[in-house]
Amino acid sequence: MENFLTNKIVLIIDNDPVCDAVLAEFLNYAGAKVIQTDSGEEGLDLVDQHDITLIICGLNLLDVPAVPLIKQLHSATIQTPIIALTDTHDVNLIAAVMRVGVYDVILKPLTDVAALKYLLVEAIYPDMFSSPVDESDKLQEEWNHLVSYPEESLALLRNLQPPAHLKVAGCQVGYRQLNTSENNGLIIDIAELSDHEFGFYIFDAEWVGEYGAVAALLFRAFFNDLLKKHITAHPDNLPALTSVLHDLQLLLKKSGLHGEYPLVIGYFNRLRGHLIVVNSGLSCVIHHDHQHTTLIKDLALGRYFHDSAQEQRLLLTSAECEVWNGPRKLWLRFN
């Protein structure tokens, strides 16, 4: 497959002249027509002007931050694979761009030509790699490994925790852990759903024990898409978080994870001023507008869970959520 990119158009959006020249030469040799720009804004225009087969996008552009640019490119070209090009090992940045639409990430310098070629072929010709049996076996193998080595799952989780202070969906969001040195604290994830909506969950993986870290990785992998699905499905575009809980319960059951999994999940819509929270097994108080709203501590997900959890819906523009379970406590605030 020397000319595996014949009649394909590849767009490179990056500002590293040396690396981009090497990459363009490789792509040209493989038969591609290469279009290059060092501007994210121009890259978006080029996507509208050409029938792009593949986008290779740098994460260190000067005019547009990486995550918003990837999100816009993915929205504009939903069927076009996007490969990120970076010299950073920042796990949080890589995780963020993967969640908003990146197919895979290439690390600079480009020294492994065989691996690069394999990745490009896999991205452009997915049917060549789409055996359901092979994929199922591979996923099962990876899952068994995570279950067998929970310390690796915990290490991965620590690296994937969001920054303590960040801007999400037009809101300033921050959190802090309040726990003793003997425990790892609660797991939190914050997912931007649009320019005015974000979701979050807080989970006590340490209380669960053996399968806690694996369950947390499972939640992280599926929470964002489940929430988006329920936003789209609901008539007023406000998600029914009890339905999200139900889906997570089914996910745990299908994955063979037994036990109890205490979890709080929430959704905030900045334009409509709606905060929706549902509690399944943790202690939770929401502080807002000089009020203190205590959420009912329903049964945790897992062994004894039943669909009786009640949503708390509040109208507000800012809040602090105090969540704890025994010695592990977390404060989440946004405005």
Side-chain angles (χ1 to χ4, degrees):
M1 294 184 69
E2 291 302 322
N3 295 319
F4 67 96
L5 293 179
T6 298
N7 299 322
K8 308 298 183 184
I9 301 176
V10 179
L11 173 61
I12 301 175
I13 310 172
D14 193 41
N15 57 357
D16 183 337
V18 175
C19 177
D20 299 342
V22 172
L23 183 58
E25 181 66 23
F26 173 79
L27 294 169
N28 282 321
Y29 178 77
K33 175 184 177 182
V34 180
I35 304 173
Q36 293 180 255
T37 177
D38 61 1
S39 163
E41 292 290 349
E42 185 179 359
L44 289 167
D45 292 337
L46 290 168
V47 164
D48 291 334
Q49 297 166 16
H50 301 273
D51 185 14
I52 304 295
T53 307
L54 174 72
I55 300 170
I56 299 177
C57 184
L59 300 185
N60 301 304
L61 299 175
L62 299 179
D63 61 335
V64 184
V67 175
L69 175 59
I70 296 294
K71 188 181 298 184
Q72 291 180 70
L73 288 169
H74 183 62
S75 297
T77 60
I78 193 71
Q79 299 298 329
T80 303
I82 303 170
I83 294 175
L85 182 64
T86 182
D87 57 4
T88 181
H89 289 268
D90 182 342
V91 176
N92 287 321
L93 177 58
I94 292 173
V97 296
M98 292 292 287
R99 294 183 71 175
V100 295
V102 161
Y103 179 82
D104 211 332
V105 177
I106 302 174
L107 291 175
K108 302 176 185 178
L110 304 177
T111 55
D112 192 338
V113 175
L116 174 61
K117 180 179 179 180
Y118 182 87
L119 175 58
L120 296 176
V121 172
E122 185 182 44
I124 295 173
Y125 304 102
D127 289 346
M128 294 177 59
F129 301 85
S130 61
S131 166
V133 174
D134 290 345
E135 285 297 308
S136 177
D137 289 346
K138 182 179 178 182
L139 287 171
Q140 187 63 51
E141 181 181 338
E142 292 176 353
W143 179 256
N144 290 340
H145 180 82
L146 288 173
V147 171
S148 301
Y149 299 95
E151 66 279 2
E152 291 187 17
S153 303
L154 277 172
L156 180 58
L157 277 173
R158 293 189 193 101
N159 286 330
L160 292 176
Q161 288 283 270
H165 303 279
L166 65 163
K167 188 167 185 177
V168 180
C171 299
Q172 295 294 334
V173 181
Y175 72 93
R176 57 193 174 102
Q177 298 270 8
L178 299 171
N179 51 275
T180 65
S181 58
E182 287 77 28
N183 61 74
N184 292 307
L186 301 175
I187 297 295
I188 182 171
D189 193 20
I190 302 166
E192 186 173 61
L193 305 168
S194 73
D195 61 1
H196 62 277
E197 302 166 283
F198 69 86
F200 63 89
Y201 65 81
I202 299 167
F203 171 56
D204 192 351
E206 187 165 333
W207 183 88
V208 173
E210 182 181 7
Y211 297 123
V214 178
L217 290 173
L218 196 69
F219 293 155
R220 182 180 178 86
F222 289 94
F223 176 72
N224 197 352
D225 287 340
L226 285 176
L227 199 47
K228 285 182 177 179
K229 181 187 78 171
H230 286 284
I231 291 172
T232 302
H234 207 273
D236 62 1
N237 285 331
L238 290 174
L241 295 191
T242 51
S243 297
V244 177
L245 268 186
H246 176 78
D247 287 352
L248 291 174
Q249 169 73 5
L250 291 178
L251 195 61
L252 290 170
K253 186 175 181 180
K254 288 179 180 178
S255 302
L257 294 179
H258 306 291
E260 299 172 60
Y261 300 85
L263 178 77
V264 167
I265 62 176
Y267 161 86
F268 181 64
N269 186 311
R270 175 174 54 84
L271 295 183
R272 299 173 68 171
H274 275 273
L275 173 66
I276 308 174
V277 185
V278 64
N279 183 19
S280 180
L282 295 174
S283 298
C284 181
V285 178
I286 301 171
H287 307 278
H288 61 102
D289 302 319
H290 306 292
Q291 301 179 51
H292 311 284
T293 303
T294 301
L295 272 65
I296 297 173
K297 187 177 181 179
D298 261 303
L299 294 172
L301 288 180
R303 183 183 295 120
Y304 303 112
F305 177 77
H306 53 83
D307 292 327
S308 64
Q310 298 180 16
E311 290 180 348
Q312 184 71 56
R313 296 195 170 208
L314 301 168
L315 290 173
L316 46 80
T317 57
S318 63
E320 291 190 353
C321 301
E322 181 184 6
V323 181
W324 71 95
N325 194 30
R328 294 170 292 282
K329 177 180 284 192
L330 184 145
W331 279 81
L332 171 69
R333 64 185 182 281
F334 59 88
N335 54 50

